[in-house]
Amino acid sequence: MSKQPTIIKVRRGINGFKYSACDANGYFIGNFVKLSDVRKHWIVEIRRGQVQLIRELDQTPDMSQIEATQRNIETLLRAYARRKRK
C-alpha cells in the first residue's frame, strides 16, 4: 500500500514575487523568487517521493482561506479591545 504524494502547485506569484506555491486545492502556501527555490525548499521530500510539484503558471493562488482568517483575527482583536476598555 503506497501513500499518494502531496501535490504542490506552482502558480503565478503575488506581492511582487514571480512564483507562489499552493497546496493541491490551490490555496496559498508561500512566495518564491525562482522555480529552483521552490524545488530546493522541498528537495528532501521530492527525493523521497512524498511531494510532487506541478506547474500551473497561468493561474493565481486562491487567497480565500487567508482572507477569511485575517477577518476572523481582526474581529477577535476588536472584541478584545472593546472588552479591555470597559
Side-chain angles (χ1 to χ4, degrees):
M1 184 167 86
S2 67
K3 185 180 175 201
Q4 294 293 329
T6 301
I7 303 294
I8 302 293
K9 295 180 178 181
V10 180
R11 294 185 171 182
R12 192 174 334 134
I14 56 174
N15 298 332
F17 288 89
K18 196 163 182 181
Y19 303 101
S20 289
C22 304
D23 67 2
N25 297 321
Y27 296 118
F28 178 78
I29 296 174
N31 283 317
F32 294 90
V33 176
K34 299 186 290 187
L35 278 174
S36 62
D37 294 341
V38 177
R39 184 168 171 75
K40 285 178 192 175
H41 186 78
W42 281 285
I43 191 69
V44 174
E45 292 84 359
I46 292 170
R47 287 184 182 160
R48 291 180 184 165
Q50 297 171 338
V51 169
Q52 180 181 1
L53 296 179
I54 297 176
R55 289 186 208 165
E56 292 184 347
L57 301 177
D58 58 334
Q59 297 180 19
T60 56
D62 184 357
M63 300 297 287
S64 62
Q65 281 186 338
I66 291 175
E67 291 165 356
T69 302
Q70 288 174 342
R71 283 192 304 271
N72 290 339
I73 291 170
E74 288 172 7
T75 303
L76 288 171
L77 290 174
R78 275 193 223 113
Y80 180 73
R82 267 188 252 126
R83 185 194 274 169
K84 197 170 185 176
R85 274 188 260 156
K86 292 181 179 183

